[in-house]
Amino acid sequence: MKRDMITKSNSLTNPDFGCKPEERPIEEYISKGVINLDKTSGPTSHEIDSWVKRILHCEKTGHGGTLDPKVTGVLPLGIDDATRAIQLLLTAPKEYVCLLTFHQDVDEDKIREVFAEFTGKIFQLPPVKSSVKRELRTRNIYYSTIYEIKGRDVLFRIGCEAGTYVRTYCHNIGEALGVGAHMAELRRTQIESFNEKNNLVTLHDLKDAYCFWKEDGDESFLRDTIMPMERAADYLPKIVIKDSAVGAICHGADLASGGIAKLHESIEKNDIVAIETLKGELVAAGLALNTTDEILDSDSGFVVNTNKVFMKTGIYPKLWK
């Protein structure tokens, strides 16, 4: 959803503090970077984390949205300071391309009819081997588009709410048709702004880019391969704060109305919002306590309950008592 930015208070930013994300020195750029990695079939997501950590010689890495070993595709990773920011993607909608195989022959019209029924709100029971409590829950299927039906195989694209099990989705479709079915292949194609068209890279790309920097001093390939951690918050509505408010937010304070410079339109109460500086740096995320219109009309009081802080203290000066 594209939103316009509305100015609440005209403010300038001091160039002596902070830095535009794209202009960070290369070491800082890496430590506050995220990677849109193209996972291959075979390794676990945690093994990928470990390999990236070894390639970049960084202290820690973390992924947003685990993929099973045989599943390929988009696996966002955060490096060092960005490992917490990448967790913002855990609740973001996902998209997959899946190959489903029926266990018996099925009429094509019936297949399309059942796929149409399995959109909107559906009920799912997580599989036995899952990291969540095994109880019936609802999930939203935003779309389920069939590309091709060939014999017992169905190739389709699915857009779904976070926490949807595509393997279970295939099994349930097979049950609904009375013939049984299983997920033969799965590829994740998108988690919000992380997709196959937006800077998708392989482990080989990452290794080559790192070697170009270390051996030849060429940072350009590494900057093309790694993105600023701010990209993990691209899908969230944003509130831009004044320099004077940054220090307090970094210490975990809730955001007061007086500290806001700009904000996105159409923010609703209880929306998760990203808090950024005037330079575009991700400071924190929190729960909106008011709508955009209410925030624009307010002169005082807290408007965001800050619950995740990503920027370290000391980057901007402490300007409160």
Side-chain angles (χ1 to χ4, degrees):
M1 176 181 175
K2 188 175 181 180
R3 303 171 187 250
D4 290 329
M5 189 68 74
I6 303 171
T7 299
K8 177 175 170 63
S9 174
N10 289 315
S11 302
L12 298 176
T13 182
N14 190 330
D16 294 335
F17 306 112
C19 177
K20 290 182 179 179
E22 295 78 11
E23 297 175 3
R24 289 168 178 148
I26 189 61
E27 289 86 358
E28 183 184 358
Y29 185 87
I30 295 171
S31 68
K32 294 180 179 178
V34 294
I35 304 167
N36 186 18
L37 192 78
D38 188 356
K39 179 187 173 298
T40 56
S41 178
T44 67
S45 297
H46 292 290
E47 285 176 322
I48 297 292
D49 285 347
S50 179
W51 294 341
V52 170
K53 182 178 175 181
R54 195 181 310 162
I55 289 171
L56 297 177
H57 301 280
C58 56
E59 293 184 6
K60 58 182 177 179
T61 55
H63 57 269
T66 301
L67 290 177
D68 289 343
K70 291 184 179 180
V71 180
T72 66
V74 173
L75 182 67
L77 287 120
I79 308 163
D80 288 338
D81 294 339
T83 53
R84 294 191 71 243
I86 207 72
Q87 301 304 309
L88 291 171
L89 294 171
L90 292 178
T91 58
K94 314 290 193 295
E95 183 189 78
Y96 302 86
V97 170
C98 179
L99 179 65
L100 174 151
T101 299
F102 289 112
H103 300 162
Q104 298 177 34
D105 294 337
V106 192
D107 180 76
E108 184 173 320
D109 289 338
K110 287 185 178 180
I111 293 173
R112 295 186 183 279
E113 183 180 326
V114 169
F115 263 84
E117 291 174 358
F118 273 71
T119 55
K121 282 192 175 183
I122 65 168
F123 290 96
Q124 275 201 336
L125 186 66
V128 176
K129 292 183 179 180
S130 65
S131 59
V132 299
K133 188 175 180 181
R134 198 161 187 261
E135 58 184 14
L136 197 65
R137 57 186 187 172
T138 60
R139 283 295 179 267
N140 277 306
I141 306 300
Y142 306 117
Y143 52 87
S144 186
T145 306
I146 294 176
Y147 284 153
E148 184 179 2
I149 299 175
K150 189 174 183 180
R152 296 182 180 181
D153 294 331
V154 181
L155 182 67
F156 68 97
R157 185 181 297 271
I158 180 173
C160 53
E161 183 181 355
T164 302
Y165 289 93
V166 183
R167 189 183 304 276
T168 301
Y169 181 85
C170 293
H171 174 78
N172 292 346
I173 283 180
E175 281 191 328
L177 285 165
V179 297
H182 68 273
M183 184 185 80
E185 292 183 38
L186 185 68
R187 178 173 177 80
R188 186 158 65 193
T189 53
Q190 183 172 3
I191 305 181
E192 285 299 338
S193 57
F194 289 75
N195 56 56
E196 293 184 306
K197 298 178 181 179
N198 181 24
N199 208 31
L200 187 67
V201 300
T202 65
L203 286 170
H204 293 293
D205 294 330
L206 186 63
K207 177 66 175 179
D208 287 346
Y210 186 82
C211 288
F212 279 130
W213 171 48
K214 281 297 183 180
E215 296 174 9
D216 302 328
D218 187 348
E219 304 175 1
S220 62
F221 293 100
L222 206 51
R223 289 184 182 273
D224 287 340
T225 306
I226 299 173
M227 300 180 289
M229 68 179 185
E230 283 72 15
R231 299 292 76 77
D234 276 352
Y235 76 103
L236 294 174
K238 294 179 175 56
I239 295 181
V240 179
I241 58 176
K242 304 173 183 177
D243 286 5
S244 57
V246 177
I249 302 300
C250 289
H251 280 84
D254 289 336
L255 177 59
S257 176
I260 296 175
K262 306 173 184 178
L263 70 163
H264 270 145
E265 64 177 355
S266 304
I267 294 174
E268 298 294 335
K269 188 176 180 180
N270 294 324
D271 278 354
I272 298 174
V273 297
I275 301 172
E276 294 188 348
T277 68
L278 287 159
K279 298 182 182 72
E281 302 151 293
L282 180 62
V283 182
L287 202 65
L289 303 176
N290 303 92
T291 66
T292 293
D293 289 341
E294 290 170 341
I295 294 172
L296 290 171
D297 291 339
S298 64
D299 295 321
S300 61
F302 293 109
V303 294
V304 176
N305 181 7
T306 305
N307 51 34
K308 293 182 187 297
V309 177
F310 307 112
M311 180 178 281
K312 292 181 178 179
T313 58
I315 295 176
Y316 282 75
K318 180 179 177 180
L319 298 176
W320 79 97
K321 296 181 179 181

